[in-house]
Amino acid sequence: MSTNIDAQAFMQSGIAEQVAAVSPAVAEQLQVALETGGQIHIPVEEYAARIAPTEHAHALLKHLKTEPKGFTRAEAQEYRQTQSEHLRQEVEQALTEKRKDAAFTLYQRYPLKIQAKSAFSDQHFTQESIDKAKQGIQGVVDSAKQPGNHSSKAEIAPVKNWLVEAARNVGLEIANYTHAVDTSAVKHVMKNHSNVKTEKARGQIAVTEADFTMIPEIISSPDKIVFGTKNRLGKNQIVYLKALPDGSTLYLEEVRTKRKELATQSLQKYPATISAESIFSTLDPNARNDSENNLIIVDMSQSRNS
C-alpha cells in the first residue's frame, strides 16, 4: 500500500529536495516520474517512518493521493468549490425564472394602472444641485470601500413636488422627505450586483461605483416609477426606471417615515434590449403592498413626449 504524489506538483511544492533526502522511494522515482509526467509512489511504512516525523510532512499532505487516480486534498477542495459555485448559479437562475413567472402571473391577474406625469408640475433638479449631489454620493462610495465599519450618509436632494403628488395619489405621504444614500446601501449593492459573471447569468449588467453617481439624474428624470411594493422588512418602496447610454437602471428607494427619507435600497442594471415590462417582472411579487390590488406605474415619458 502506498501514498501517491504527482511529480510536477511535488517539484513545485518547494520541499522536493528535502523530502527526497529522507525518502529512498522518492529519490529513486523522482527523475523518471518528472520525465514521464507520472506519479511517485511512497510505501505507507516509509512515509510514516521517514517523512511524517519531519517538518515537511504538513506541507506535503495537500499534494498526496491515497489512490493514483484519486484527488489530492487541494484538488478535492477546488472541485467542491467549483461544484458549489455551479450549483449556486443554477439555483439562482432557477429562482430568477420562477420569480419572473410569478411576477408575470401577478400582472395578468391585476391590471396595471398607468398615470402620466403631465398631471403633476415638472420640477427637475438643476445641474448645480446634481453636481453637488454626485460629490456627496462619491464620498459615501469612497467611505464604503474603506476597511472596517465606516458609516456615512449623503443627502441627495429634497423630494420634488411632482413626486410628492404622485405618491399622494396612491396613498403614500412623502412631503418634506429627502432622497439619501448611505454606506450600508452601497455595500449591499456592490456585494449583490457587481459581479460580472453572476449578473450576466441573471440577464443583467454588473453595477460599478460610477453608477451610484447617476442616482440624481435617475430620480430627477426617470422614465417610469412604480408604487405598490414593499421590501422584506415591510417598508414601502419607490421604484425608478431610467434608460441610460449603457443600459436601463432599476433604482429602489426605501421609505423611512421616522427620518423622513427616501433611502437607497438597491440598484440594478439591464441591457437596453430588455423591455420595461420584463424588468418590472423581476420585482419580488411577495413584497407587494397588500393594501392595493394593483402595482401602479407612473409613466414619466408620456409628459416628455407630449
Side-chain angles (χ1 to χ4, degrees):
M1 189 174 180
S2 65
T3 57
N4 313 277
I5 184 169
D6 180 82
Q8 292 292 340
F10 179 56
M11 288 301 297
Q12 295 172 6
S13 68
I15 57 174
E17 184 178 346
Q18 295 90 323
V19 174
V22 299
S23 171
V26 171
E28 180 181 350
Q29 301 173 57
L30 179 58
Q31 189 59 42
V32 173
L34 283 172
E35 292 174 355
T36 61
Q39 297 183 23
I40 300 170
H41 308 287
I42 310 171
V44 172
E45 297 81 0
E46 181 175 318
Y47 181 88
R50 293 177 173 270
I51 300 176
T54 71
E55 61 180 332
H56 310 300
H58 181 73
L60 198 63
L61 276 177
K62 64 181 180 180
H63 299 294
L64 295 178
K65 300 179 181 181
T66 57
E67 298 289 341
K69 294 183 179 180
F71 283 150
T72 66
R73 180 184 296 181
E75 290 170 341
Q77 183 177 7
E78 181 180 358
Y79 177 81
R80 286 195 299 269
Q81 291 174 342
T82 301
Q83 292 303 305
S84 177
E85 175 62 18
H86 287 167
L87 178 60
R88 187 195 65 76
Q89 291 182 7
E90 289 177 3
V91 170
E92 180 67 32
Q93 183 65 28
L95 288 175
T96 298
E97 293 302 321
K98 183 177 181 180
R99 189 179 298 120
K100 288 180 179 179
D101 291 343
F104 276 124
T105 300
L106 173 72
Y107 293 147
Q108 293 168 2
R109 189 174 181 182
Y110 300 115
L112 296 175
K113 295 178 182 177
I114 305 295
Q115 300 176 0
K117 183 185 171 184
S118 56
F120 315 118
S121 56
D122 192 355
Q123 299 184 38
H124 297 304
F125 299 156
T126 65
Q127 188 59 50
E128 181 181 358
S129 65
I130 288 177
D131 292 341
K132 183 178 180 181
K134 286 185 175 184
Q135 291 178 3
I137 293 171
Q138 186 60 56
V140 173
V141 172
D142 292 341
S143 178
K145 293 189 297 182
Q146 298 301 314
N149 296 318
H150 289 271
S151 178
S152 66
K153 180 174 69 175
E155 292 188 350
I156 300 172
V159 174
K160 292 295 186 180
N161 288 337
W162 64 261
L163 184 57
V164 172
E165 292 299 322
R168 187 171 290 152
N169 279 0
V170 299
L172 186 61
E173 185 55 60
I174 56 173
N176 301 315
Y177 275 56
T178 301
H179 298 281
V181 58
D182 57 31
T183 48
S184 63
V186 172
K187 290 179 180 179
H188 170 80
V189 172
M190 294 305 291
K191 177 182 178 181
N192 292 281
H193 297 292
S194 65
N195 184 283
V196 174
K197 186 175 181 181
T198 301
E199 295 308 292
K200 184 177 181 180
R202 293 172 175 169
Q204 300 180 24
I205 300 172
V207 173
T208 67
E209 294 174 9
D211 292 317
F212 289 97
T213 61
M214 297 303 296
I215 292 175
E217 297 181 19
I218 294 170
I219 60 179
S220 173
S221 183
D223 296 326
K224 290 179 173 63
I225 297 179
V226 179
F227 295 102
T229 66
K230 291 186 176 183
N231 61 21
R232 297 186 183 279
L233 297 177
K235 294 185 178 181
N236 287 309
Q237 298 177 130
I238 299 178
V239 183
Y240 306 78
L241 180 67
K242 185 173 179 64
L244 295 168
D246 58 346
S248 297
T249 297
L250 187 72
Y251 176 62
L252 285 77
E253 289 182 322
E254 174 186 87
V255 180
R256 296 178 177 174
T257 54
K258 291 184 178 180
R259 300 180 184 178
K260 289 188 176 296
E261 289 179 347
L262 301 184
T264 301
Q265 179 173 301
S266 186
L267 191 153
Q268 301 166 34
K269 294 177 65 179
Y270 295 82
T273 53
I274 304 297
S275 68
E277 289 74 16
S278 295
I279 294 174
F280 290 148
S281 74
T282 64
L283 295 174
D284 188 350
N286 296 316
R288 286 177 13 83
N289 188 332
D290 294 333
S291 65
E292 293 290 338
N293 288 330
N294 300 277
L295 294 180
I296 300 174
I297 296 181
V298 180
D299 191 342
M300 319 297 277
S301 62
Q302 289 183 10
S303 65
R304 290 199 293 268
N305 296 330
S306 60

